[in-house]
Each structure stands twice: as structure tokens, then as C-alpha cells.
Amino acid sequence: MQGTTAGYSLKSCNPYPKPSLCKVYQDVDFPGADYRTFFAVNYKQCQRACTDDPGCQFFSFLSGTFGSPNVRYKCHLKFSWTVPRTPNVYEHPDTVSGFSHELQILPSYEPECQDTLFPNTNFPGHDIEVHPAASPELCQLLCNAHPRCTYFSFVSNGFKCYLKNYPNEMVPNYADNVTSGLPSRSCPLHN
């Protein structure tokens, strides 16, 4: 796309350079996966912001010659999921599903990690994304992985995980079949 520059965070460039990821791509757009946007002077400032932001993996920058003048100089920080996400979850008799034993990303549920889940509680509103999930723990894992997720609500009769972003407050409401919680980014991982 003319007037765009796309590239990756410089995190992967140190200490072992990987030229394929450090290079930027003129007139290329990486559409979608945006989680933060702002205006920047040039693509280098956009790439530096991506590098400095722990959640950013790649970016797209709309230059001063981009077709639509209202969005010129706009920097789009992006991320892609690094955790498994199921396309759908349904209750079905005589069926068993699960994840590979090779995945070592599930947080351990030590007592301090269990305190981050609130049964029969909903935090309504402020949804940023909705994903299918089989359990509140998987929903918590999705919240951990998303850089904008501040808390979540999991609806068990529908297997829906609502990722939320509102750092100012959490207003709990009683709700059957809903477990809400906080990301457990500080919880140790299973070994």
C-alpha cells in the first residue's frame, strides 16, 4: 500500500541481529491486529514506540504521502496471539477436548493466583474482544496475553470470554454462570 511502512519491533534485533525482522518494508501494510494508535513524526519513531511497548510485535506507519490526509503520520502498534485460541467451544455429550502437553504456558494456580478469579461475578461493559474459551482459567490466559486487557468475564453457558479494558475501576455485579477475574501475569508458569 503506497504511503505506508511496516516492520517489526527491534526487540528481536538485540543481542543477536535478525535482519529479516529488523528490516522495514516500504509501501507494505500489515492490516489488522491493532491495539494502540497515535500520531508519530516518522516510521522510526513508530518502530521505537513498538520496541518500547512490551505488547507490541510489529507496526504499520502511514506516511505524509498516504492517500487519506486525515490519517497521515499515524502509527499502528500491533500484536498477534502467542497462546492457543480455539475457533469455537460447544458442549457436546461423549466428547473430550484439550490442549497438547507440550504447551507450557498455563499459569499454575497457587493460592495467590486463585485469588484472581471471582465466581458468580460479572464486570459489565468495557469489552475489547470476545473469544470462545472452555474455562475461566483459559479466559484468564487470554487476558494475560492481550496487552490491553485489564480484567475479564467468562460466561460458562456459552463459553464466551470477554476481555475488558478499563483501568479506572471494576464494578462487580452478581451473575450466575459468570466468573470474572484479573490477569495473572505475575503467577508462575507450570513446568
Side-chain angles (χ1 to χ4, degrees):
M1 179 179 291
Q2 187 171 1
T4 62
T5 302
Y8 296 92
S9 160
L10 293 172
K11 290 181 202 82
S12 63
C13 299
N14 292 316
Y16 306 105
K18 296 178 183 173
S20 63
L21 292 181
C22 299
K23 179 181 175 185
V24 295
Y25 303 91
Q26 296 291 336
D27 298 325
V28 172
D29 187 16
F30 294 155
D34 298 3
Y35 74 93
R36 185 174 155 219
T37 61
F38 57 91
F39 291 97
V41 174
N42 55 35
Y43 81 84
K44 290 179 182 180
Q45 185 182 26
C46 184
Q47 187 177 38
R48 176 56 51 201
C50 182
T51 302
D52 292 343
D53 186 317
C56 186
Q57 296 169 335
F58 49 103
F59 70 93
S60 288
F61 174 75
L62 309 179
S63 74
T65 60
F66 187 74
S68 177
N70 295 344
V71 293
R72 289 178 181 164
Y73 302 101
K74 196 164 191 181
C75 175
H76 297 259
L77 300 187
K78 301 161 180 282
F79 89 106
S80 61
W81 290 95
T82 57
V83 297
R85 293 181 306 143
T86 57
N88 291 300
V89 178
Y90 299 106
E91 188 170 359
H92 193 279
D94 304 320
T95 304
V96 177
S97 299
F99 294 94
S100 165
H101 279 266
E102 296 299 314
L103 296 173
Q104 297 182 2
I105 56 173
L106 298 175
S108 65
Y109 290 95
E110 307 289 331
E112 65 271 14
C113 294
Q114 290 174 357
D115 290 343
T116 61
L117 296 177
F118 313 112
N120 298 317
T121 303
N122 184 25
F123 296 137
H126 310 292
D127 300 343
I128 54 173
E129 292 188 16
V130 180
H131 296 279
S135 69
E137 292 82 8
L138 183 57
C139 189
Q140 185 176 45
L141 181 66
L142 294 174
C143 185
N144 290 346
H146 196 291
R148 289 186 55 223
C149 185
T150 54
Y151 49 90
F152 65 90
S153 291
F154 170 76
V155 180
S156 60
N157 57 351
F159 301 105
K160 297 289 183 198
C161 174
Y162 294 85
L163 302 183
K164 298 164 181 286
N165 177 275
Y166 193 66
N168 298 332
E169 63 182 2
M170 287 188 311
V171 179
N173 289 339
Y174 176 83
D176 285 328
N177 302 314
V178 178
T179 300
S180 293
L182 304 171
S184 60
R185 293 178 180 108
S186 61
C187 292
L189 300 178
H190 280 303
N191 57 22

